[in-house]
């Protein structure tokens, strides 16, 4: 059989068309996998214990899960899509509840939704302006500004909301009402409301674009009128069925001032609130232009108009509902970032329109350049804070994992009781957490590294996948989160022990640091060190040291940071100031079992000096191991006594 030339040509044309979207998908998905591989933790966290373990997995595994259970409220939301998806993941993962596997699957939904968005937006731009949009969206979503949604396994509802919203809005402007594809889109609108409470904004945005097109005379016909009526009916039902939680009332806006301040904050992201006019101006101008100018009913710009209504609606509803809470929590940023993408699209749209009107072309390019600079500066300013929070939460997750694993080893409630959430345990109620850990049905589906049980012969999909992910980036965790700890002594010309001028401000967030630490999985040390504060001289390097009872020494590197308070105390806060006297270090001690002495060393001009004035004891022997050691020592004494007798 001979393949004709036209068929080959059509095949090549389609391959060229989908190639950018494949590249985009792999680019953004790869960035998310790298984040998960480095910072993901297999310990279920927060709402997973009541929203998944107690109300989903337990009744399902015992055979009495019902459809009302699946659509029952979870806080202010009805999360049918997330519950069905979690059951699907548990099934295909061989009955293992692995949050890492959930993160990877959730990221797949998110990137798929973003790829749909890129496709829908790209259809409204000339080809030469598609590539700036491609690069902008790729760079924005390669940044971990939304790391909470990426690194918490119970966050798929945010991504389902995006995916179903884009499909619904596209269907409303592209397909004839009540055609098969229109019904598919309409079903996605309903699923959006069963993903998050703010899914009602999705229905409202679709209704809004249909009403505007009706008003402008684009689609004044009976099917459109019936579609408006149907969507209005479903919207009313969705609003009525949205749960109201009395506890959440404290976070809502109580005054107009609260609401407007919160709205400026959400619409200006990532810039400060006073930048709201600059950041959101392109989208506002586009919406106004769409209302004024003549636009055909089949013009893809109607999708941008609908998405603009959706983005503004999300800002409004979150600004009202979280005005007195954390309105910039990272899990909300996935919604605000859609507005940022639309604003950049609008600038590109004005550039393409400016070519038709020569006088506006240069102005559009200048405005776009200025807007991009402001966004880059804003993202650069918030990024250090994002990474600091990411680092702190990752260290907390690791401590939670240690305590849960230790509880499975000993079943000692003291390992959970009185521990702070989320710094040490993964659920705020330790009694409820214990009931879940003691439940054999739940314990049987947890990953083996938490329960300590023997791994299955048929490894679940998640274990194979995790090994493959870590193989891609084998050294990233030690590079990005932890400082190196080695038994190799730093190269120096001489070594001495002295009393050093410095201070350990905190260990694992505790200040002043305790004299002894027990069962430390991760070590976070912050402080300052000088050679001579009076002269403004600081060491070349500062090391964290660990010494075991046999005298073996381990040196951990630190990172420098400015300490203006130290400089001021030594009267070196003037024009020239003092070099960076502060240090901080994060060290993974999960493989260090035994007793150690924590201290500091400093290197200056080739001389290594071990500080004698910072001894802190670390006891990494759990109660079970201590009991075994005591039993072993008693046996040794009894044997010795028998031999002597």
């Amino acid at each position: 059989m001979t393949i004709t030339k036209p068929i080959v040509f059509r095949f090549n044309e389609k391959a060229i068309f989908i190639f950018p979207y494949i590249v985009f998908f792999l680019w953004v998905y790869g960035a998310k996998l790298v984040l998960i591989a480095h910072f993901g933790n297999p310990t279920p966290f927060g709402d997973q214990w009541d929203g998944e373990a107690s109300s989903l997995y337990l009744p399902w595994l015992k055979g009495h899960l019902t459809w009302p259970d699946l659509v029952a409220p979870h806080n202010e939301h009805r999360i049918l899509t997330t519950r069905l998806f979690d059951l699907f993941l548990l099934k295909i993962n061989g009955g293992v509840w692995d949050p890492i596997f959930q993160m990877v699957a959730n990221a797949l939904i998110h990137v798929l939704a973003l790829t749909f968005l890129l496709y829908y937006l790209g259809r409204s731009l000339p080809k030469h302006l598609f590539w700036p949009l491609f690069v902008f969206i790729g760079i924005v979503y390669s940044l971990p500004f939304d790391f909470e949604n990426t690194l918490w396994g119970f966050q798929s509802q945010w991504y389902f909301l995006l995916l179903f919203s884009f499909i619904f809005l596209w269907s409303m402007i592209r397909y004839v009402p009540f055609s098969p594809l229109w019904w598919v889109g309409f079903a996605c609108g309903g699923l959006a409301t069963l993903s998050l409470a703010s899914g009602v904004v999705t229905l409202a945005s679709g209704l809004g674009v249909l009403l505007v097109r009706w008003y402008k005379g684009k689609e004044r016909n009976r099917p459109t009128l019936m579609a408006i009526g149907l969507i209005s009916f479903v919207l009313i039902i969705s609003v009525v069925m949205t749960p109201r939680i009395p506890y959440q009332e404290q976070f809502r806006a109580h005054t107009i001032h609260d609401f407007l301040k919160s709205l400026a904050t959400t619409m200006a992201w990532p810039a400060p609130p006073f930048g709201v006019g600059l950041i959101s101006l392109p989208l506002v101008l586009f919406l106004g232009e769409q209302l004024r100018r003549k636009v055909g009913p089949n013009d893809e710009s109607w999708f941008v108009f609908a998405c603009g209504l959706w983005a503004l609606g999300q800002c409004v509803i979150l600004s009202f509902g979280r005005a007195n809470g954390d309105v910039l929590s990272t899990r909300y940023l996935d919604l605000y970032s859609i507005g940022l993408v639309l604003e950049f699209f609008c600038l590109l749209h004005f550039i393409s329109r400016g070519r038709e009107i020569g006088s506006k072309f240069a102005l559009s390019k200048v405005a776009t350049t200025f807007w991009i600079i402001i966004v880059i500066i804003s993202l650069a300013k918030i990024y250090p804070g994002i990474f600091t929070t990411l680092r702190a939460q990752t260290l907390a997750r690791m401590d939670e994992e240690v305590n849960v694993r230790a509880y499975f080893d000993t079943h000692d409630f003291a390992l959970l009781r009185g521990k702070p959430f989320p710094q040490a345990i993964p659920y705020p109620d330790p009694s409820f957490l214990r009931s879940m850990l003691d439940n054999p049905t739940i314990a049987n589906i947890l990953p083996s590294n938490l329960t300590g049980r023997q791994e299955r012969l048929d490894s679940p999909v998640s274990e194979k996948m995790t090994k493959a992910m870590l193989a891609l980036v084998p050294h990233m965790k030690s590079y990005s989160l932890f400082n190196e700890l080695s038994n190799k002594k730093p190269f120096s010309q001489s070594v001495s022990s002295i009393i050093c001028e410095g201070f350990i401000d905190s260990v694992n967030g505790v200040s002043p640091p305790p004299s002894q630490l027990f069962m430390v999985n991760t070590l976070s040390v912050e402080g300052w060190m000088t050679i001579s504060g009076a002269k403004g001289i600081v060491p070349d390097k500062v090391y964290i040291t660990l010494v075991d009872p046999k005298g073996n020494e381990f040196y951990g590197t630190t990172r420098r940071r400015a300490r203006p308070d130290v400089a001021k105390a030594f009267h070196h806060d003037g024009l020239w100031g003092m070099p960076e006297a502060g240090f901080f270090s994060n060290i993974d001690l999960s493989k260090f079992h035994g007793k150690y002495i924590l201290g500091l060393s400093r290197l200056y001009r080739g001389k290594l000096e071990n500080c004698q004035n910072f001894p802190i004891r670390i006891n990494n022997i759990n109660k079970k191991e201590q009991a075994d050691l005591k039993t072993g020592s008693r046996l040794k004494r009894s044997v010795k006594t028998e031999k002597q007798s």
Side-chain angles (χ1 to χ4, degrees):
M1 180 179 178
T2 305
I3 300 178
T4 61
K5 206 167 187 179
I7 294 177
V8 174
F9 178 78
R10 287 197 299 270
F11 175 79
N12 291 336
E13 192 177 45
K14 289 181 179 179
I16 293 172
F17 172 75
I18 66 173
F19 180 73
Y21 302 103
I22 295 175
V23 172
F24 173 82
F25 183 93
L26 295 177
W27 173 10
V28 180
Y29 192 53
K32 284 186 168 289
L33 291 183
V34 168
L35 183 69
I36 295 168
H38 304 158
F39 303 113
N41 190 284
T43 308
F45 175 75
D47 288 355
Q48 288 189 276
W49 292 103
D50 53 14
E52 286 184 315
S54 177
S55 61
L56 182 66
Y57 294 144
L58 203 54
W60 186 65
L61 292 170
K62 291 190 173 183
H64 50 73
L65 183 68
T66 63
W67 277 103
D69 294 331
L70 292 173
V71 296
H74 178 78
N75 295 330
E76 297 173 297
H77 315 284
R78 298 186 187 273
I79 53 172
L80 171 67
T81 54
T82 292
R83 287 172 173 146
L84 291 176
F85 189 60
D86 287 345
L87 291 176
F88 170 73
L89 294 180
L90 184 69
K91 182 69 175 177
I92 67 172
N93 196 36
V96 177
W97 176 26
D98 191 341
I100 297 287
F101 187 54
Q102 291 176 306
M103 296 171 201
V104 172
N106 295 347
L108 189 68
I109 301 170
H110 189 202
V111 180
L112 182 63
L114 295 175
T115 305
F116 273 104
L117 179 64
L118 177 64
Y119 168 73
Y120 294 149
L121 294 178
R123 293 186 55 141
S124 300
L125 284 175
K127 289 184 178 179
H128 68 283
L129 292 178
F130 168 80
W131 295 106
L133 180 68
F134 172 92
V135 173
F136 180 81
I137 301 180
I139 291 176
V140 167
Y141 286 100
S142 296
L143 301 176
F145 62 85
D146 59 342
F147 66 87
E148 282 186 351
N149 285 342
T150 306
L151 297 177
W152 294 359
F154 193 51
Q155 301 299 97
S156 62
Q157 56 267 30
W158 299 89
Y159 302 147
F160 278 124
L161 173 66
L162 295 177
L163 178 63
F164 293 136
S165 295
F166 298 152
I167 297 175
F168 170 76
L169 295 177
W170 179 258
S171 301
M172 293 304 102
I173 66 105
R174 287 295 296 172
Y175 303 129
V176 176
F178 305 107
S179 64
L181 290 177
W182 186 91
W183 278 113
V184 171
F186 177 77
C188 287
L191 290 173
T193 65
L194 293 173
S195 298
L196 273 180
S198 62
V200 298
V201 175
T202 301
L203 294 176
S205 301
L207 178 63
V209 73
L210 290 178
L211 288 172
V212 169
R213 285 154 64 105
W214 174 277
Y215 173 76
K216 296 190 70 173
K218 302 300 179 185
E219 291 182 336
R220 290 192 176 180
N221 51 57
R222 185 177 179 182
T224 302
L225 184 61
M226 293 175 63
I228 290 174
L230 178 60
I231 295 173
S232 301
F233 175 75
V234 176
L235 175 59
I236 293 172
I237 295 296
S238 300
V239 171
V240 170
M241 293 186 64
T242 299
R244 293 185 65 87
I245 309 297
Y247 170 76
Q248 305 290 349
E249 296 290 336
Q250 61 182 316
F251 303 120
R252 293 195 170 97
H254 303 305
T255 64
I256 294 295
H257 177 265
D258 289 344
F259 171 70
L260 293 178
K261 180 181 178 182
S262 180
L263 184 62
T265 301
T266 59
M267 292 183 64
W269 185 86
F274 60 79
V276 60
L278 175 65
I279 295 296
S280 59
L281 183 61
L283 181 57
V284 173
L285 292 177
F286 175 86
L287 295 176
E289 181 189 70
Q290 192 77 359
L291 291 173
R292 290 193 312 271
R293 70 188 183 101
K294 294 181 179 180
V295 184
N298 295 323
D299 196 309
E300 283 87 356
S301 62
W302 284 112
F303 173 77
V304 186
F305 181 84
C307 280
L309 296 179
W310 182 90
L312 293 177
Q314 296 294 341
C315 288
V316 168
I317 199 170
L318 282 169
S319 297
F320 174 75
R322 293 295 182 268
N324 291 295
D326 187 6
V327 75
L328 288 183
S329 175
T330 63
R331 59 185 177 274
Y332 303 147
L333 300 185
D334 275 321
L335 305 184
Y336 306 153
S337 61
I338 300 300
L340 190 69
V341 169
L342 294 175
E343 285 145 8
F344 183 71
F345 169 88
C346 294
L347 289 169
L348 297 178
H349 167 78
F350 292 138
I351 289 177
S352 65
R353 293 271 296 161
R355 285 184 176 274
E356 303 172 10
I357 309 172
S359 60
K360 293 185 178 181
F361 182 56
L363 179 62
S364 299
K365 291 200 297 184
V366 171
T368 301
T369 302
F370 183 68
W371 186 90
I372 291 174
I373 292 173
I374 295 299
V375 170
I376 291 174
I377 293 174
S378 300
L379 288 173
K381 289 186 69 175
I382 67 174
Y383 187 78
I386 289 173
F387 185 78
T388 299
T389 307
L390 171 61
R391 179 173 63 89
Q393 289 199 13
T394 304
L395 292 172
R397 294 298 89 78
M398 297 185 72
D399 287 337
E400 293 165 6
E401 179 184 356
V402 168
N403 288 326
V404 170
R405 188 166 47 195
Y407 179 78
F408 273 113
D409 289 340
T410 64
H411 287 278
D412 183 359
F413 188 42
L415 293 166
L416 307 177
R417 183 178 52 207
K419 297 292 181 68
F421 167 83
Q423 290 79 15
I425 57 174
Y427 192 78
D429 184 352
S431 297
F432 177 81
L433 178 61
R434 178 177 64 171
S435 70
M436 289 293 100
L437 298 178
D438 287 343
N439 190 300
T441 303
I442 297 300
N444 189 51
I445 64 174
L446 284 169
S448 56
N449 63 319
L450 282 180
T451 61
R453 68 172 185 265
Q454 187 177 3
E455 294 190 15
R456 307 180 181 196
L457 295 177
D458 53 333
S459 298
V461 176
S462 60
E463 291 184 7
K464 300 175 182 178
M465 177 196 64
T466 303
K467 290 179 181 179
M469 286 168 51
L470 293 177
L472 295 175
V473 280
H475 305 297
M476 187 62 185
K477 179 164 282 191
S478 62
Y479 173 77
S480 61
L481 183 63
F482 297 102
N483 297 92
E484 181 182 0
L485 186 64
S486 172
N487 58 0
K488 293 182 180 179
K489 185 173 294 185
F491 177 78
S492 60
Q493 299 171 0
S494 61
V495 181
S496 62
S497 296
I498 64 168
I499 301 297
C500 297
E501 186 177 80
F503 195 72
I504 296 180
D505 293 319
S506 67
V507 175
N508 288 355
V510 179
S511 179
S515 60
Q516 189 166 0
L517 300 171
F518 295 92
M519 294 306 299
V520 181
N521 187 50
T522 58
L523 188 66
S524 178
V525 182
E526 299 186 20
W528 60 272
M529 178 75 69
T530 62
I531 298 296
S532 172
K535 297 180 181 179
I537 303 174
V538 301
D540 297 327
K541 291 183 178 180
V542 177
Y543 296 93
I544 304 296
T545 60
L546 284 181
V547 183
D548 65 13
K550 296 181 180 180
N552 298 318
E553 297 178 333
F554 300 88
Y555 290 84
T557 58
T558 65
R559 306 182 197 183
R560 308 298 292 268
R561 66 168 38 155
R563 286 296 298 266
D565 57 329
V566 175
K568 185 176 182 179
F570 286 107
H571 308 290
H572 285 286
D573 55 338
L575 179 62
W576 302 108
M578 177 188 283
E580 294 180 326
F583 66 86
F584 68 97
S585 183
N586 300 307
I587 298 173
D588 183 4
L589 293 184
S590 58
K591 297 181 180 179
F592 284 76
H593 298 285
K595 297 183 178 181
Y596 301 90
I597 300 296
L598 168 67
L600 296 178
S601 294
R602 65 188 190 186
L603 184 66
Y604 182 65
R605 292 185 176 179
K607 184 178 181 180
L608 181 66
E609 297 172 330
N610 296 321
C611 303
Q612 299 178 352
N613 49 323
F614 303 108
I616 297 176
R617 297 181 181 277
I618 296 178
N619 187 346
N620 267 9
I621 302 178
N622 61 35
K623 291 186 177 181
K624 183 180 179 181
E625 292 172 330
Q626 288 178 356
D628 292 342
L629 288 174
K630 289 179 181 178
T631 303
S633 62
R634 284 197 296 267
L635 287 173
K636 287 181 180 179
R637 284 197 300 268
S638 62
V639 170
K640 185 176 180 180
T641 303
E642 290 177 1
K643 287 183 177 179
Q644 290 175 351
S645 61

